[in-house]
Amino acid sequence: MKVESHPPDLTIAAAGFAALGSEQRLTVLLALVRAGPAGLSIGALGEATGVTGSTLTHHMKILAAAELVEQTRQGRSIICAAIAYNRVRSLSHFLLTECCADAEVPCAEHGHS
């Protein structure tokens, strides 16, 4: 097995994947990605996802700890927004860079690059 001289940080990748390891958290993140940089109020996010109250608060804490989303106060509202488009992209890249690394057939023949 080929080992890179600068291996990816497994701890950071594991935290990111753990944060995405819930159907409800994926639903919340997808809603925020779809909303774009302006984000959604906590109420609108709850309506859009069907995840509300303490459950939404719990999931937002996990996503925020993984630095995938942020919450900011605007007047009396809390606005939630996805902030880590590059982080999500790098989580996929983390997996795909090793694609077919130990295989006899190069990735290009599998449609991967």
Side-chain angles (χ1 to χ4, degrees):
M1 182 166 126
K2 180 178 146 185
V3 178
E4 296 178 30
S5 59
H6 301 290
D9 187 340
L10 292 176
T11 303
I12 291 172
F17 284 118
L20 298 174
S22 155
E23 187 175 327
Q24 286 187 328
R25 282 194 293 277
L26 280 172
T27 300
V28 168
L29 182 60
L30 180 59
L32 293 175
V33 167
R34 290 176 59 98
L40 295 169
S41 70
I42 199 82
L45 181 58
E47 287 177 24
T49 62
V51 181
T52 58
S54 62
T55 302
L56 181 56
T57 301
H58 168 74
H59 289 312
M60 284 300 296
K61 275 177 105 171
I62 292 169
L63 291 168
E67 298 178 356
L68 296 171
V69 301
E70 70 178 359
Q71 295 180 333
T72 56
R73 183 168 291 282
Q74 290 183 0
R76 300 180 90 186
S77 298
I78 296 175
I79 304 299
C80 306
I83 58 168
Y85 299 98
N86 288 335
R87 179 129 189 221
V88 172
R89 188 176 295 115
S90 62
L91 286 173
S92 349
H93 182 72
F94 172 79
L95 290 177
L96 296 176
T97 56
E98 294 297 316
C99 181
C100 304
D102 297 334
E104 292 180 28
V105 179
C107 284
E109 292 183 28
H110 290 281
H112 305 291
S113 55

